[in-house]
Amino acid sequence: MISKLLEAVTIRNIPQSRVLHVTVESEDARKAALIADTIVELYVSHQIETKEKAAEQAVVWLTERVTAMQTNLQTAEAKVSAFTAGTELVSVAALRGVERQIKELGSRIATAQEARVASE
């Protein structure tokens, strides 16, 4: 029976496409259509199931990867916090204040040099 069925079924793909052409030869047109439709339904179901399994595996992999990356991020943030706590960082306002002081000192030095030259 299976051999006869295989002889009656022809499946070929249409070149440069994803379309399959399923032909079933039988004396009963309805039976042939039912067999062809069943083959196509089984094929499509199998393809969907295969893609779902692949998607599930991808989700598991991505979940593991995100978890690992989150752990790495937390570790890096802890290191940054420890570094920041142990290091005296200079603020922008403090730098501007120092720059002002340097300019004032430069001005005083120039005035003092002028006074020295004048006194000589």
Coordinates of all heavy atoms in Angstrom, one line a residue, residues 13-114:
N13 N 10.0 20.9 -6.2 CA 10.0 22.3 -5.9 C 10.1 23.1 -7.2 O 10.8 22.7 -8.1 CB 11.1 22.7 -4.9 CG 12.5 22.6 -5.5 OD1 12.8 21.7 -6.2 ND2 13.3 23.6 -5.2
I14 N 9.5 24.3 -7.2 CA 9.6 25.2 -8.3 C 10.9 25.9 -8.2 O 11.2 26.5 -7.2 CB 8.4 26.1 -8.4 CG1 7.1 25.3 -8.6 CG2 8.5 27.1 -9.5 CD1 5.8 26.0 -8.5
P15 N 11.8 25.8 -9.3 CA 13.1 26.4 -9.2 C 13.1 27.9 -8.8 O 12.2 28.7 -9.1 CB 13.6 26.3 -10.6 CG 12.9 25.2 -11.2 CD 11.5 25.2 -10.6
Q16 N 14.0 28.3 -8.0 CA 14.2 29.6 -7.5 C 13.0 30.2 -6.7 O 12.7 31.3 -6.8 CB 14.6 30.6 -8.6 CG 15.9 30.2 -9.3 CD 16.2 31.1 -10.5 OE1 15.4 32.0 -10.9 NE2 17.4 30.8 -11.1
S17 N 12.4 29.3 -6.0 CA 11.3 29.7 -5.1 C 11.2 28.7 -3.9 O 11.9 27.7 -3.9 CB 10.0 29.7 -5.9 OG 9.5 28.4 -6.1
R18 N 10.3 29.0 -3.0 CA 10.1 28.1 -1.9 C 8.8 27.3 -2.0 O 8.3 26.8 -1.1 CB 10.0 28.9 -0.6 CG 11.3 29.6 -0.3 CD 11.2 30.3 1.0 NE 12.5 30.9 1.4 CZ 12.8 31.4 2.5 NH1 11.9 31.5 3.4 NH2 14.0 31.9 2.7
V19 N 8.3 27.3 -3.2 CA 7.0 26.7 -3.5 C 7.2 25.2 -3.9 O 8.1 24.9 -4.7 CB 6.3 27.4 -4.7 CG1 5.0 26.7 -5.0 CG2 6.0 28.9 -4.3
L20 N 6.4 24.3 -3.3 CA 6.4 22.9 -3.7 C 5.2 22.6 -4.5 O 4.1 23.1 -4.2 CB 6.4 22.0 -2.4 CG 7.7 22.1 -1.5 CD1 7.4 21.3 -0.3 CD2 8.9 21.7 -2.2
H21 N 5.4 21.7 -5.5 CA 4.3 21.3 -6.3 C 4.0 19.8 -6.0 O 4.9 19.0 -6.2 CB 4.7 21.5 -7.8 CG 3.5 21.1 -8.7 ND1 2.5 21.9 -9.0 CD2 3.3 20.0 -9.5 CE1 1.7 21.4 -9.8 NE2 2.1 20.2 -10.1
V22 N 2.9 19.6 -5.4 CA 2.5 18.2 -5.0 C 1.4 17.7 -5.9 O 0.4 18.3 -6.1 CB 2.0 18.2 -3.5 CG1 1.6 16.8 -3.1 CG2 3.0 18.7 -2.6
T23 N 1.7 16.5 -6.6 CA 0.8 15.9 -7.5 C 0.5 14.5 -7.0 O 1.4 13.7 -6.6 CB 1.4 15.8 -8.9 OG1 1.8 17.1 -9.3 CG2 0.4 15.3 -9.9
V24 N -0.8 14.1 -7.0 CA -1.2 12.8 -6.6 C -2.1 12.2 -7.7 O -3.1 12.9 -8.1 CB -1.9 12.8 -5.2 CG1 -2.4 11.3 -4.9 CG2 -1.1 13.3 -4.1
E25 N -1.7 11.1 -8.2 CA -2.5 10.5 -9.3 C -3.4 9.4 -8.7 O -2.9 8.5 -7.9 CB -1.6 9.8 -10.3 CG -0.8 10.9 -11.1 CD 0.1 10.2 -12.2 OE1 -0.2 9.1 -12.6 OE2 1.0 10.9 -12.5
S26 N -4.7 9.5 -9.0 CA -5.7 8.5 -8.5 C -6.9 8.5 -9.4 O -7.2 9.5 -10.1 CB -6.1 8.9 -7.1 OG -7.1 8.0 -6.6
E27 N -7.6 7.4 -9.4 CA -8.9 7.3 -10.1 C -9.9 8.2 -9.5 O -10.8 8.7 -10.2 CB -9.4 5.9 -10.2 CG -8.4 5.0 -11.1 CD -8.9 3.6 -11.0 OE1 -10.0 3.3 -10.5 OE2 -8.1 2.7 -11.5
D28 N -9.8 8.5 -8.2 CA -10.7 9.3 -7.5 C -10.1 10.7 -7.2 O -9.1 10.8 -6.4 CB -11.1 8.6 -6.1 CG -12.1 9.4 -5.3 OD1 -12.5 10.5 -5.8 OD2 -12.6 8.8 -4.3
A29 N -10.6 11.7 -7.9 CA -10.1 13.0 -7.8 C -10.1 13.6 -6.3 O -9.2 14.2 -5.9 CB -10.8 14.0 -8.7
R30 N -11.2 13.3 -5.6 CA -11.3 13.8 -4.2 C -10.2 13.1 -3.3 O -9.7 13.8 -2.5 CB -12.7 13.5 -3.7 CG -13.7 14.4 -4.3 CD -15.0 14.2 -3.6 NE -16.0 15.1 -4.2 CZ -17.2 15.2 -3.8 NH1 -17.7 14.5 -2.8 NH2 -18.1 16.0 -4.5
K31 N -10.0 11.8 -3.6 CA -9.0 11.1 -2.8 C -7.6 11.7 -3.1 O -6.8 11.9 -2.2 CB -9.0 9.6 -3.1 CG -8.1 8.8 -2.2 CD -7.8 7.4 -2.7 CE -9.1 6.5 -2.7 NZ -8.8 5.1 -3.0
A32 N -7.3 12.0 -4.3 CA -6.0 12.5 -4.7 C -5.9 13.9 -4.1 O -4.8 14.2 -3.6 CB -6.0 12.6 -6.3
A33 N -6.9 14.7 -4.1 CA -6.8 16.1 -3.5 C -6.6 15.9 -2.0 O -5.8 16.7 -1.4 CB -8.1 16.9 -3.8
L34 N -7.3 15.0 -1.4 CA -7.2 14.8 0.1 C -5.8 14.4 0.5 O -5.2 14.9 1.4 CB -8.2 13.8 0.6 CG -8.2 13.5 2.1 CD1 -8.5 14.7 2.9 CD2 -9.1 12.3 2.4
I35 N -5.2 13.5 -0.3 CA -3.8 13.0 0.0 C -2.8 14.1 -0.2 O -2.0 14.4 0.6 CB -3.5 11.8 -0.9 CG1 -4.3 10.6 -0.6 CG2 -2.0 11.5 -0.9 CD1 -4.2 9.4 -1.5
A36 N -3.0 14.9 -1.3 CA -2.1 16.0 -1.6 C -2.2 17.1 -0.5 O -1.2 17.6 0.0 CB -2.4 16.6 -2.9
D37 N -3.4 17.4 -0.1 CA -3.6 18.4 1.0 C -3.0 17.9 2.3 O -2.5 18.7 3.0 CB -5.1 18.7 1.1 CG -5.7 19.5 -0.1 OD1 -4.9 20.1 -0.8 OD2 -6.9 19.6 -0.2
T38 N -3.2 16.6 2.6 CA -2.7 16.1 3.8 C -1.2 16.1 3.8 O -0.5 16.5 4.9 CB -3.2 14.6 4.0 OG1 -4.6 14.6 4.0 CG2 -2.7 14.1 5.3
I39 N -0.5 15.8 2.7 CA 0.9 15.9 2.6 C 1.4 17.3 2.9 O 2.3 17.6 3.6 CB 1.4 15.3 1.3 CG1 1.2 13.8 1.2 CG2 2.9 15.7 1.0 CD1 1.5 13.3 -0.2
V40 N 0.7 18.3 2.2 CA 1.1 19.7 2.4 C 0.9 20.1 3.8 O 1.8 20.8 4.4 CB 0.3 20.6 1.4 CG1 0.5 22.0 1.7 CG2 0.7 20.3 0.0
E41 N -0.2 19.8 4.4 CA -0.5 20.1 5.8 C 0.6 19.6 6.8 O 1.0 20.3 7.7 CB -1.9 19.7 6.3 CG -3.0 20.5 5.7 CD -4.4 19.9 6.1 OE1 -4.5 19.3 7.1 OE2 -5.3 20.2 5.3
L42 N 0.9 18.3 6.6 CA 1.9 17.7 7.4 C 3.3 18.4 7.2 O 4.0 18.6 8.2 CB 2.1 16.2 7.1 CG 0.9 15.3 7.6 CD1 1.0 13.9 7.0 CD2 0.8 15.3 9.1
Y43 N 3.6 18.7 6.0 CA 4.9 19.4 5.7 C 4.9 20.7 6.4 O 5.9 21.1 7.1 CB 5.1 19.5 4.2 CG 6.3 20.3 3.9 CD1 7.6 19.7 4.0 CD2 6.3 21.6 3.5 CE1 8.8 20.4 3.7 CE2 7.4 22.4 3.2 CZ 8.6 21.8 3.3 OH 9.8 22.5 3.0
V44 N 3.9 21.5 6.2 CA 3.8 22.9 6.8 C 3.9 22.7 8.4 O 4.6 23.5 9.0 CB 2.5 23.6 6.4 CG1 2.3 24.9 7.2 CG2 2.6 23.9 4.9
S45 N 3.1 21.8 8.9 CA 3.1 21.6 10.4 C 4.5 21.3 10.9 O 5.0 21.8 11.9 CB 2.2 20.5 10.8 OG 0.9 20.8 10.5
H46 N 5.2 20.4 10.1 CA 6.6 20.0 10.5 C 7.5 21.2 10.4 O 8.4 21.4 11.3 CB 7.1 18.9 9.6 CG 8.5 18.5 9.9 ND1 9.6 19.0 9.3 CD2 9.0 17.6 10.9 CE1 10.7 18.5 9.8 NE2 10.3 17.6 10.8
Q47 N 7.4 22.1 9.4 CA 8.2 23.2 9.3 C 8.0 24.2 10.4 O 8.9 24.8 11.0 CB 7.9 23.9 7.9 CG 8.4 23.2 6.7 CD 9.9 22.9 6.8 OE1 10.7 23.9 6.9 NE2 10.3 21.7 6.7
I48 N 6.7 24.4 10.8 CA 6.4 25.3 11.9 C 6.9 24.8 13.2 O 7.5 25.5 14.0 CB 4.8 25.5 11.9 CG1 4.4 26.3 10.7 CG2 4.4 26.2 13.3 CD1 2.8 26.4 10.6
E49 N 6.8 23.5 13.4 CA 7.3 22.9 14.6 C 8.8 23.1 14.7 O 9.4 23.4 15.8 CB 6.9 21.4 14.7 CG 7.2 20.7 15.9 CD 6.8 19.3 15.9 OE1 5.6 19.0 15.6 OE2 7.6 18.4 16.2
T50 N 9.5 22.8 13.6 CA 11.0 23.0 13.6 C 11.4 24.4 13.9 O 12.3 24.7 14.7 CB 11.5 22.6 12.2 OG1 11.1 21.2 11.9 CG2 13.0 22.7 12.1
K51 N 10.7 25.4 13.3 CA 11.0 26.8 13.5 C 10.7 27.2 15.0 O 11.4 28.0 15.6 CB 10.2 27.7 12.5 CG 10.8 27.5 11.1 CD 10.2 28.5 10.2 CE 10.6 28.3 8.7 NZ 11.8 27.8 8.4
E52 N 9.6 26.6 15.5 CA 9.3 26.9 16.9 C 10.4 26.4 17.9 O 10.7 27.1 18.8 CB 7.9 26.4 17.3 CG 6.7 27.1 16.8 CD 5.4 26.5 17.0 OE1 5.4 25.3 17.5 OE2 4.4 27.1 16.8
K53 N 10.9 25.2 17.6 CA 11.9 24.6 18.4 C 13.2 25.5 18.3 O 13.8 25.8 19.3 CB 12.2 23.2 18.0 CG 11.2 22.2 18.5 CD 11.6 20.8 18.0 CE 10.5 19.8 18.4 NZ 10.8 18.5 17.9
A54 N 13.5 26.0 17.1 CA 14.7 26.8 16.9 C 14.5 28.1 17.7 O 15.4 28.7 18.3 CB 14.9 27.1 15.4
A55 N 13.3 28.7 17.6 CA 13.0 29.9 18.4 C 13.1 29.7 19.9 O 13.6 30.6 20.6 CB 11.6 30.4 18.0
E56 N 12.6 28.6 20.4 CA 12.7 28.3 21.8 C 14.2 28.2 22.2 O 14.6 28.7 23.3 CB 12.0 27.0 22.1 CG 10.5 27.1 22.1 CD 9.8 25.8 22.3 OE1 10.5 24.8 22.6 OE2 8.5 25.7 22.1
Q57 N 15.0 27.6 21.4 CA 16.4 27.4 21.7 C 17.1 28.8 21.7 O 17.9 29.1 22.5 CB 17.1 26.5 20.7 CG 16.7 25.1 20.8 CD 17.3 24.2 19.7 OE1 17.8 24.7 18.7 NE2 17.3 22.9 20.0
A58 N 16.7 29.7 20.7 CA 17.2 31.0 20.7 C 16.8 31.8 21.9 O 17.7 32.6 22.5 CB 16.7 31.7 19.4
V59 N 15.6 31.7 22.4 CA 15.2 32.4 23.6 C 16.0 31.9 24.8 O 16.4 32.7 25.6 CB 13.6 32.2 23.8 CG1 13.2 32.6 25.2 CG2 12.8 32.9 22.8
V60 N 16.2 30.6 24.9 CA 17.0 30.1 26.0 C 18.4 30.7 26.0 O 18.9 31.2 27.0 CB 17.0 28.5 26.0 CG1 18.0 28.0 27.0 CG2 15.6 28.0 26.4
W61 N 19.0 30.6 24.8 CA 20.4 31.1 24.6 C 20.4 32.6 25.0 O 21.3 33.1 25.7 CB 20.9 30.9 23.2 CG 22.3 31.4 23.0 CD1 23.4 30.7 23.3 CD2 22.6 32.7 22.5 NE1 24.5 31.5 23.0 CE2 24.0 32.7 22.5 CE3 21.9 33.7 22.0 CZ2 24.8 33.8 22.0 CZ3 22.7 34.8 21.5 CH2 24.0 34.9 21.5
L62 N 19.4 33.4 24.4 CA 19.4 34.8 24.7 C 19.2 35.1 26.2 O 19.8 36.1 26.7 CB 18.3 35.5 23.9 CG 18.7 35.7 22.4 CD1 17.4 36.1 21.6 CD2 19.8 36.6 22.2
T63 N 18.4 34.4 26.8 CA 18.1 34.5 28.3 C 19.4 34.3 29.0 O 19.8 35.1 29.9 CB 17.0 33.6 28.8 OG1 15.8 33.9 28.0 CG2 16.7 33.8 30.2
E64 N 20.1 33.2 28.7 CA 21.4 33.0 29.4 C 22.4 34.1 29.1 O 23.1 34.5 30.0 CB 21.9 31.6 28.9 CG 21.1 30.4 29.4 CD 21.6 29.1 28.7 OE1 22.5 29.2 27.8 OE2 21.1 28.1 29.1
R65 N 22.4 34.5 27.9 CA 23.4 35.6 27.5 C 23.1 36.9 28.2 O 24.0 37.6 28.7 CB 23.3 35.8 26.0 CG 24.4 36.7 25.5 CD 25.7 36.0 25.5 NE 26.7 36.9 25.1 CZ 27.7 37.4 25.8 NH1 27.9 36.9 27.0 NH2 28.6 38.2 25.4
V66 N 21.8 37.3 28.3 CA 21.4 38.5 29.0 C 21.7 38.4 30.5 O 22.2 39.3 31.1 CB 19.9 38.8 28.8 CG1 19.3 39.8 29.7 CG2 19.6 39.2 27.3
T67 N 21.5 37.2 31.1 CA 21.8 37.0 32.5 C 23.3 37.2 32.7 O 23.7 37.9 33.7 CB 21.3 35.6 32.9 OG1 19.9 35.5 32.7 CG2 21.6 35.4 34.4
A68 N 24.1 36.6 31.9 CA 25.5 36.7 32.0 C 26.0 38.2 31.8 O 26.8 38.7 32.6 CB 26.3 35.8 31.0
M69 N 25.4 38.9 30.9 CA 25.7 40.3 30.6 C 25.3 41.2 31.8 O 26.0 42.1 32.2 CB 25.1 40.8 29.3 CG 25.8 40.1 28.1 SD 25.0 40.6 26.6 CE 25.8 42.2 26.3
Q70 N 24.1 40.8 32.4 CA 23.7 41.6 33.5 C 24.6 41.4 34.7 O 24.9 42.4 35.4 CB 22.2 41.2 33.9 CG 21.6 42.0 34.9 CD 20.1 41.7 35.1 OE1 19.7 40.6 34.8 NE2 19.3 42.6 35.7
T71 N 25.1 40.2 34.9 CA 26.0 39.9 36.0 C 27.3 40.7 35.8 O 27.9 41.3 36.7 CB 26.3 38.4 36.1 OG1 25.1 37.7 36.3 CG2 27.3 38.1 37.2
N72 N 27.8 40.7 34.5 CA 29.0 41.5 34.2 C 28.8 42.9 34.4 O 29.7 43.6 34.9 CB 29.4 41.2 32.7 CG 29.9 39.8 32.5 OD1 30.3 39.1 33.4 ND2 30.0 39.4 31.3
L73 N 27.6 43.4 34.1 CA 27.3 44.9 34.3 C 27.3 45.2 35.8 O 27.9 46.2 36.2 CB 26.0 45.2 33.7 CG 25.5 46.6 33.9 CD1 26.4 47.7 33.3 CD2 24.1 46.8 33.4
Q74 N 26.7 44.4 36.6 CA 26.7 44.6 38.0 C 28.1 44.6 38.6 O 28.4 45.4 39.4 CB 25.8 43.6 38.7 CG 24.3 43.8 38.4 CD 23.4 42.6 38.9 OE1 23.9 41.6 39.2 NE2 22.1 42.9 38.9
T75 N 28.9 43.7 38.1 CA 30.3 43.6 38.6 C 31.0 44.9 38.2 O 31.8 45.4 39.0 CB 31.0 42.4 38.0 OG1 30.3 41.2 38.4 CG2 32.4 42.3 38.5
A76 N 30.9 45.3 37.0 CA 31.5 46.5 36.5 C 31.1 47.7 37.3 O 31.9 48.6 37.6 CB 31.3 46.7 35.0
E77 N 29.8 47.8 37.5 CA 29.2 49.0 38.3 C 29.8 49.0 39.7 O 30.1 50.0 40.2 CB 27.7 48.9 38.3 CG 27.1 49.3 37.0 CD 25.5 49.2 37.0 OE1 25.0 48.4 37.8 OE2 24.9 49.8 36.1
A78 N 29.9 47.8 40.3 CA 30.5 47.7 41.6 C 31.9 48.2 41.6 O 32.4 48.9 42.5 CB 30.4 46.3 42.2
K79 N 32.7 47.8 40.6 CA 34.1 48.2 40.5 C 34.2 49.7 40.3 O 35.0 50.4 40.9 CB 34.8 47.5 39.3 CG 35.1 46.1 39.6 CD 35.8 45.4 38.4 CE 36.1 43.9 38.7 NZ 36.7 43.3 37.6
V80 N 33.3 50.3 39.5 CA 33.3 51.8 39.3 C 32.9 52.5 40.6 O 33.6 53.5 41.0 CB 32.2 52.2 38.2 CG1 32.0 53.7 38.2 CG2 32.7 51.7 36.8
S81 N 32.0 51.9 41.4 CA 31.6 52.5 42.6 C 32.8 52.5 43.6 O 33.1 53.5 44.3 CB 30.4 51.8 43.2 OG 29.3 52.0 42.4
A82 N 33.4 51.4 43.6 CA 34.6 51.2 44.5 C 35.7 52.2 44.1 O 36.3 52.8 45.0 CB 35.1 49.8 44.5
F83 N 35.9 52.3 42.8 CA 37.0 53.2 42.3 C 36.6 54.7 42.7 O 37.5 55.4 43.1 CB 37.2 53.0 40.8 CG 38.1 54.0 40.2 CD1 39.5 53.8 40.4 CD2 37.7 55.1 39.5 CE1 40.4 54.7 39.8 CE2 38.6 56.0 39.0 CZ 39.9 55.8 39.1
T84 N 35.4 55.0 42.4 CA 34.9 56.4 42.7 C 35.0 56.7 44.2 O 35.4 57.8 44.5 CB 33.5 56.6 42.2 OG1 33.4 56.2 40.8 CG2 33.0 58.0 42.4
A85 N 34.7 55.8 45.0 CA 34.7 56.0 46.5 C 36.2 56.2 46.9 O 36.5 56.9 47.9 CB 34.1 54.8 47.2
G86 N 37.1 55.4 46.3 CA 38.5 55.5 46.7 C 39.3 56.5 46.0 O 40.5 56.7 46.3
T87 N 38.8 57.3 45.1 CA 39.5 58.3 44.4 C 38.8 59.7 44.6 O 37.6 59.8 44.5 CB 39.5 57.9 42.9 OG1 40.0 56.6 42.7 CG2 40.3 58.9 42.1
E88 N 39.7 60.7 44.8 CA 39.2 62.0 44.9 C 39.1 62.6 43.5 O 40.1 62.9 42.8 CB 40.0 62.9 45.7 CG 40.0 62.5 47.2 CD 40.9 63.5 48.0 OE1 41.0 64.7 47.6 OE2 41.4 63.1 49.1
L89 N 37.9 62.7 42.9 CA 37.7 63.2 41.6 C 37.5 64.7 41.7 O 36.9 65.2 42.7 CB 36.5 62.6 40.9 CG 36.6 61.1 40.7 CD1 35.3 60.5 40.1 CD2 37.8 60.8 39.8
V90 N 38.0 65.4 40.7 CA 37.9 66.9 40.7 C 36.7 67.3 39.9 O 36.5 66.8 38.8 CB 39.2 67.5 40.0 CG1 39.1 69.0 40.0 CG2 40.4 67.0 40.8
S91 N 35.9 68.2 40.5 CA 34.7 68.6 39.8 C 35.0 69.8 38.8 O 36.1 70.4 38.9 CB 33.7 69.1 40.8 OG 34.1 70.3 41.4
V92 N 34.1 70.1 37.9 CA 34.3 71.1 37.0 C 34.4 72.5 37.7 O 35.2 73.3 37.4 CB 33.1 71.1 36.0 CG1 33.2 72.4 35.1 CG2 33.1 69.9 35.1
A93 N 33.6 72.6 38.7 CA 33.6 73.9 39.5 C 34.9 74.1 40.2 O 35.4 75.2 40.2 CB 32.4 73.9 40.5
A94 N 35.4 73.0 40.7 CA 36.7 73.1 41.4 C 37.8 73.5 40.4 O 38.7 74.3 40.7 CB 37.1 71.8 42.1
L95 N 37.8 72.9 39.2 CA 38.8 73.2 38.2 C 38.7 74.7 37.8 O 39.7 75.4 37.6 CB 38.6 72.3 37.0 CG 39.1 70.9 37.1 CD1 38.8 70.1 35.8 CD2 40.6 70.9 37.3
R96 N 37.5 75.2 37.7 CA 37.3 76.6 37.3 C 37.9 77.5 38.4 O 38.5 78.6 38.1 CB 35.8 76.9 37.0 CG 35.4 76.3 35.7 CD 34.0 76.7 35.4 NE 33.6 76.1 34.1 CZ 32.4 75.6 33.8 NH1 31.4 75.8 34.7 NH2 32.2 75.1 32.7
G97 N 37.7 77.1 39.6 CA 38.2 77.9 40.8 C 39.7 77.9 40.7 O 40.4 79.0 41.0
V98 N 40.3 76.8 40.5 CA 41.8 76.7 40.4 C 42.3 77.5 39.2 O 43.3 78.2 39.3 CB 42.3 75.2 40.3 CG1 43.7 75.1 39.9 CG2 41.9 74.5 41.6
E99 N 41.6 77.5 38.1 CA 42.0 78.3 36.9 C 42.0 79.8 37.3 O 42.8 80.5 36.9 CB 41.0 78.0 35.7 CG 41.3 76.7 35.1 CD 40.3 76.4 33.9 OE1 39.3 77.2 33.8 OE2 40.4 75.4 33.3
R100 N 40.9 80.2 38.0 CA 40.8 81.6 38.4 C 42.0 82.0 39.3 O 42.6 83.0 39.2 CB 39.5 81.8 39.2 CG 38.7 82.9 38.6 CD 37.4 83.2 39.4 NE 36.4 82.1 39.2 CZ 36.0 81.3 40.2 NH1 36.5 81.4 41.4 NH2 35.1 80.3 40.0
Q101 N 42.3 81.1 40.2 CA 43.4 81.3 41.1 C 44.8 81.5 40.4 O 45.6 82.3 40.6 CB 43.6 80.2 42.2 CG 42.5 80.3 43.2 CD 42.6 79.1 44.2 OE1 43.3 78.2 44.0 NE2 41.8 79.2 45.3
I102 N 44.9 80.6 39.3 CA 46.2 80.6 38.5 C 46.2 82.0 37.8 O 47.3 82.6 37.7 CB 46.2 79.4 37.6 CG1 46.4 78.1 38.4 CG2 47.3 79.6 36.5 CD1 46.3 76.9 37.5
K103 N 45.1 82.4 37.2 CA 45.1 83.7 36.5 C 45.4 84.8 37.4 O 46.2 85.7 37.1 CB 43.7 83.9 35.8 CG 43.5 83.0 34.6 CD 42.2 83.3 34.0 CE 41.9 82.4 32.8 NZ 40.6 82.5 32.2
E104 N 44.9 84.8 38.6 CA 45.1 85.8 39.6 C 46.6 85.8 40.0 O 47.2 86.9 40.1 CB 44.2 85.7 40.9 CG 42.8 86.0 40.6 CD 41.9 85.7 41.8 OE1 42.4 85.4 42.9 OE2 40.7 85.8 41.7
L105 N 47.2 84.6 40.2 CA 48.6 84.6 40.6 C 49.4 85.1 39.4 O 50.5 85.7 39.7 CB 48.9 83.1 41.0 CG 48.5 82.6 42.3 CD1 48.8 81.1 42.5 CD2 49.1 83.4 43.4
G106 N 49.1 84.7 38.2 CA 49.8 85.2 37.0 C 49.8 86.7 37.0 O 50.8 87.4 36.7
S107 N 48.6 87.3 37.3 CA 48.5 88.7 37.3 C 49.4 89.3 38.4 O 50.0 90.4 38.2 CB 47.0 89.0 37.5 OG 46.6 90.2 37.0
R108 N 49.3 88.7 39.6 CA 50.2 89.2 40.7 C 51.6 89.2 40.4 O 52.4 90.1 40.7 CB 49.9 88.4 42.0 CG 48.5 88.8 42.6 CD 48.4 88.0 43.9 NE 47.0 88.1 44.4 CZ 46.6 87.4 45.4 NH1 47.4 86.5 46.0 NH2 45.4 87.6 45.8
I109 N 52.0 88.0 39.7 CA 53.4 87.9 39.4 C 53.9 88.9 38.4 O 54.9 89.6 38.5 CB 53.7 86.4 38.8 CG1 53.6 85.4 39.9 CG2 55.1 86.4 38.1 CD1 53.6 84.0 39.4
A110 N 53.0 89.2 37.4 CA 53.3 90.2 36.4 C 53.4 91.6 37.1 O 54.3 92.4 36.8 CB 52.2 90.2 35.3
T111 N 52.5 91.9 38.0 CA 52.6 93.2 38.7 C 53.8 93.2 39.6 O 54.5 94.3 39.6 CB 51.3 93.3 39.6 OG1 50.1 93.2 38.8 CG2 51.3 94.6 40.3
A112 N 54.2 92.2 40.2 CA 55.4 92.1 41.1 C 56.6 92.3 40.2 O 57.6 93.0 40.6 CB 55.4 90.8 41.9
Q113 N 56.7 91.7 39.0 CA 57.8 91.8 38.2 C 57.9 93.3 37.7 O 59.0 93.8 37.6 CB 57.7 90.9 37.0 CG 58.0 89.4 37.4 CD 57.9 88.5 36.2 OE1 57.2 88.8 35.2 NE2 58.4 87.3 36.3
E114 N 56.8 93.9 37.3 CA 56.8 95.3 36.9 C 57.3 96.2 38.0 O 58.1 97.1 37.8 CB 55.4 95.7 36.4 CG 55.0 95.1 35.1 CD 53.5 95.4 34.8 OE1 52.9 96.2 35.5 OE2 53.0 94.9 33.8

